[in-house]
Amino acid sequence: MSVKPSVAANPAASYDVVVVGAGFAGMYMLHRLRGQGMTARVYEQGSGVGGTWYWNRYPGARCDVESMQYSYSFSEDLQQQWNWSERYAPQPEILQYANHVADRFELRSDIQFDTRVERAVFDETARLWSVSTSDGKVVTAKHVVLATGCLSNARMPDIKGLDRFKGNVYHTGHWPHEAVDFTGQRVGVIGTGSSAIQSVPVIAEQASQLTVFQRTANFSIPARNAPLTDEEREKFRANYPEIRRFAREEARNGIYTELPDRGALDDGDNERRSKYEARWNRGGLTFMSVYNNLALDKAANDTAADFVRAKIAEIVRDPETARLLQPDNHPIGSKRICIDTDYFATFNRPNVTLVDIRSNPIEEITESAVRTAAKDYQVDALVLATGFDAMTGSVAKIDIHGRGGQTLNQKWAAGPRTYLGLMSSGFPNLFIVTGPGSPSVLSNMIVSIEQHVDWIADCMAYMRDHGLETMEAAVDAEDKWVAHVNEVAYTTLYPQANSWYMGANVPGKPRIFMPYIGGVGPYRQICNEVAAKGYEGFVMGQAEQPRKVAAS
Ligand code: FAD
Ligand code: NAP
């Protein structure tokens, strides 16, 4: 006779919160939850912490927001003690920082690595989420937090014959852990976004021949990366309170810099050119902050775009290659601007060739070559710098069932719908960190991650203290927010680009401008006001026997 294991003999583990992902978002979420006495389990499909910085190990990978700002602010000791080596730290150092944070705050004991969350089902009677993982287990949790990342679902291009290629194929977003040496090899790089722009100059130094396949040229600004001096670090540290406050409250993109008070057309040609020149020489993302209307007014934007196009023509010696490298089909900044070290100059090397696959598309990959209508390009290795199914890709891979059995994928079939990018109606107690509808990828993401995690943790504490069992976005609040996100986006030039912000890089994905462009400062204020009004726009479900509100 077979004996059925009783539920009591094999109880499913139960937590206050299941967190999916152990990048910067999941790690800080765990730290905050522990701090308020909640039990949490983090699941991470990778074998270590760090998310983006765990997966993207391609040559040349580094941050594009300066490290003194692209770092956690929640611990004063941490920000005073960690020594960033360079203005833009390389990937191994950012990963080392993530590991340091995991050790310092003893996070690992609540993180289960090498485990994917496959499915999450909301039980409306028990008011609990039932979460299934790739190790065959099911656990329950009151809340689920998706800290799954906006750029974590690397996209393989749909190019015929890729599986036939005999050499090694690498995706920048899934780079091997062991060192890859291209010395003496003919390498092909497909794509010319940020990942390619960072890796091409480094690969060019190793490869015997590097062929870069470009469909769309991109704007890129020199990083002017350099080692950080003790004085520079100290200056930041001494001013951290103001720098962090400014980044959170005043900067639209979460980066401390001067705010422009003039439009590009308010200055004459010479003055404008000298301002662009100064920012070009300073380097970095703040090139787009020279004037206050570069994202709004096409004529203003053209002045900045023309300046960068002229720089490309100055740097690149072959006029035809220079012409191909000059972006001409989208306003500057309407795709995340790239930050490089010697990208354009790399095309002056005798071992580097640019191939325009806009006019001559790739037809297929053969066993040893990339074939266009015009020619076969023989390569020994292929680097796919083809990007991500961004913002919704990793969420869509989880089979999430909310009220009435509706799946999140069904609900988001025509594009993601959220209130504040934090929750989606019909999916109670399911939170998203930097979800679609929040500033997320338009910002210094650590600023946005910390703001979301703090808001979510405060909200869970509020629910506990007020005996609330469930919380979800109200349909009308969500509808208004989705309309607002869309409306604000269309006051800018951003929707004019076929970018991953619009889902345009994934065939069949709905074209919706996904991030909220209103700025991190105003957005934070909206979130704070919503919370101050008892979570206005959210529907709260009372427990049958409310717990006492903690005395303050
Ligand atoms: P991630 O770091 O993406 O972590 C999410 C984690 O969730 C991943 O480890 C993933 O494996 C895990 N996961 C997903 N689904 C599941 C599942 N179902 N089960 C279990 N685990 C799951 N932003 C900036 O602001 N400045 C920069 O300089 C910058 N540089 C970047 C460079 C690169 C190459 C890329 C790709 C992105 C960059 N970004 C940058 C954006 C970057 O993604 C964020 O800054 C930040 O690291 C995101 O942290 P996160 O924790 O939200 O997500
Ligand atoms: P990306 O910006 O989406 O660029 C992908 C590139 O691949 C584009 O040039 C695209 O061309 C090309 N491509 C895609 N599919 C193709 C196909 N089938 N055939 C030919 N070409 C194809 O991706 P990414 O460079 O990985 O960057 C994504 C984001 O990650 C960035 O925008 C940034 O936010 C972040 N990131 C930041 C840094 C940093 O500097 N710190 C570095 C890397 C990434 P089209 O444009 O024509 O589609």
Side-chain angles (χ1 to χ4, degrees):
M1 193 179 81
S2 70
V3 180
K4 267 193 187 169
S6 75
V7 174
N10 185 19
S14 190
Y15 303 96
D16 291 323
V17 187
V18 158
V19 179
V20 193
F24 284 130
M27 289 165 68
Y28 181 44
M29 191 76 240
L30 172 60
H31 178 67
R32 274 296 319 261
L33 293 170
R34 277 188 181 165
Q36 55 196 37
M38 298 179 101
T39 57
R41 185 77 168 164
V42 181
Y43 293 101
E44 167 56 57
Q45 63 191 353
S47 305
V49 296
T52 288
W53 305 103
Y54 172 88
W55 297 106
N56 292 262
R57 298 168 186 241
Y58 59 83
R62 53 181 75 245
C63 48
D64 61 5
V65 172
E66 295 181 19
S67 292
M68 292 301 291
Q69 300 201 55
Y70 186 69
S71 48
Y72 284 126
S73 69
F74 71 83
S75 161
E76 180 59 13
D77 285 349
L78 174 66
Q79 69 178 6
Q80 291 297 332
Q81 288 163 12
W82 182 263
N83 272 326
W84 291 111
S85 66
E86 295 176 52
R87 183 176 177 191
Y88 303 95
Q91 171 272 331
E93 188 174 333
I94 306 175
L95 184 58
Q96 203 185 342
Y97 171 77
N99 277 291
H100 169 80
V101 171
D103 293 336
R104 185 176 185 126
F105 299 98
E106 296 174 1
L107 301 178
R108 292 181 205 277
S109 56
D110 287 324
I111 305 176
Q112 185 173 325
F113 294 107
D114 301 305
T115 311
R116 269 191 63 74
V117 167
E118 311 270 19
R119 187 176 155 88
V121 179
F122 186 67
D123 179 334
E124 293 186 55
T125 312
R127 289 181 277 193
L128 288 175
W129 282 94
S130 188
V131 178
S132 312
T133 48
S134 53
D135 58 354
K137 303 235 167 76
V138 180
V139 300
T140 60
K142 178 167 174 180
H143 305 278
V144 172
V145 177
L146 301 176
T148 43
C150 293
L151 294 158
S152 52
N153 191 23
R155 221 183 80 76
M156 293 297 281
D158 315 312
I159 302 176
K160 197 171 119 195
L162 200 50
D163 52 345
R164 264 195 302 156
F165 184 65
K166 287 265 166 66
N168 286 332
V169 178
Y170 306 94
H171 193 294
T172 49
H174 256 282
W175 203 262
H177 288 203
E178 57 281 6
V180 176
D181 184 3
F182 291 117
T183 305
Q185 294 192 32
R186 295 164 302 176
V187 181
V189 173
I190 300 180
T192 48
S194 297
S195 300
I197 281 176
Q198 286 188 328
S199 56
V200 157
V202 186
I203 297 173
E205 284 174 10
Q206 288 183 354
S208 60
Q209 173 64 43
L210 173 62
T211 310
V212 179
F213 297 90
Q214 171 185 277
R215 194 163 62 183
T216 310
N218 259 311
F219 290 100
S220 188
I221 307 296
R224 312 278 179 216
N225 189 34
L228 276 174
T229 62
D230 285 342
E231 291 72 33
E232 284 167 329
R233 275 192 292 262
E234 282 318 312
K235 199 170 160 201
F236 257 100
R237 286 176 179 149
N239 293 308
Y240 255 142
E242 173 55 14
I243 289 171
R244 299 298 201 183
R245 186 205 62 76
F246 183 96
R248 291 183 193 120
E249 294 173 12
E250 289 188 51
R252 297 193 78 72
N253 57 4
I255 300 175
Y256 178 77
T257 190
E258 308 93 303
L259 287 181
D261 57 1
R262 291 170 75 74
L265 306 177
D266 298 336
D267 283 337
D269 286 353
N270 290 342
E271 198 174 353
R272 196 167 48 231
R273 203 172 308 114
S274 74
K275 285 185 183 170
Y276 286 142
E277 193 73 45
R279 282 297 170 103
W280 178 268
N281 291 335
R282 191 204 289 183
L285 284 181
T286 62
F287 182 83
M288 290 306 291
S289 313
V290 178
Y291 292 111
N292 61 16
N293 60 348
L294 294 181
L296 303 173
D297 178 336
K298 182 65 169 54
N301 186 284
D302 285 343
T303 65
D306 286 344
F307 176 86
V308 175
R309 282 190 281 260
K311 283 290 179 196
I312 297 170
E314 262 174 43
I315 298 167
V316 180
R317 286 197 288 270
D318 173 51
E320 178 55 10
T321 306
R323 187 188 65 77
L324 287 173
L325 286 167
Q326 290 171 323
D328 62 2
N329 74 347
H330 60 281
I332 185 168
S334 58
K335 294 181 171 192
R336 187 165 176 120
I337 205 151
C338 305
I339 302 300
D340 72 277
T341 299
D342 297 335
Y343 176 66
F344 294 116
T346 297
F347 292 92
N348 293 332
R349 293 176 65 112
N351 67 332
V352 178
T353 309
L354 182 70
V355 174
D356 171 22
I357 53 167
R358 170 137 301 189
S359 44
N360 267 315
I362 296 175
E363 291 186 338
E364 62 178 324
I365 309 285
T366 69
E367 288 187 356
S368 62
V370 177
R371 175 169 293 162
T372 69
K375 189 174 163 184
D376 276 13
Y377 296 87
Q378 295 296 327
V379 288
D380 303 309
L382 263 181
V383 173
L384 306 175
T386 46
F388 301 85
D389 181 354
M391 305 209 67
T392 54
S394 286
V395 175
K397 276 186 163 173
I398 309 173
D399 184 21
I400 301 174
H401 294 245
R403 283 198 193 282
Q406 186 191 30
T407 69
L408 194 59
N409 284 333
Q410 285 165 342
K411 181 171 171 196
W412 286 8
R417 301 188 69 78
T418 69
Y419 178 37
L420 301 173
L422 282 158
M423 294 191 108
S424 193
S425 69
F427 297 83
N429 298 357
L430 178 80
F431 294 89
I432 315 168
V433 183
T434 63
S438 73
S440 57
V441 291
L442 297 175
S443 67
N444 171 354
M445 284 205 68
I446 299 193
V447 171
S448 290
I449 285 170
E450 287 190 331
Q451 184 251 334
H452 261 192
V453 167
D454 286 337
W455 194 94
I456 293 168
D458 291 348
C459 170
M460 287 178 186
Y462 175 93
M463 288 177 71
R464 179 185 61 189
D465 296 345
H466 290 76
L468 299 166
E469 288 283 288
T470 56
M471 164 170 180
E472 65 193 287
V475 176
D476 59 337
E478 179 170 294
D479 288 347
K480 279 192 200 134
W481 184 253
V482 170
H484 174 64
V485 170
N486 210 33
E487 193 185 331
V488 179
Y490 280 87
T491 62
T492 74
L493 304 174
Y494 277 80
Q496 294 187 17
N498 281 326
S499 65
W500 56 259
Y501 296 144
M502 297 285 292
N505 64 329
V506 179
K509 191 166 173 171
R511 298 271 176 122
I512 304 278
F513 192 81
M514 292 183 282
Y516 177 55
I517 214 166
V520 296
Y523 173 79
R524 175 183 294 264
Q525 211 176 328
I526 294 168
C527 290
N528 288 348
E529 280 164 16
V530 162
K533 290 180 186 159
Y535 295 93
E536 188 179 48
F538 290 96
V539 182
M540 302 288 197
Q542 200 78 30
E544 270 149 35
Q545 290 178 318
R547 284 166 232 162
K548 277 192 184 147
V549 177
S552 53

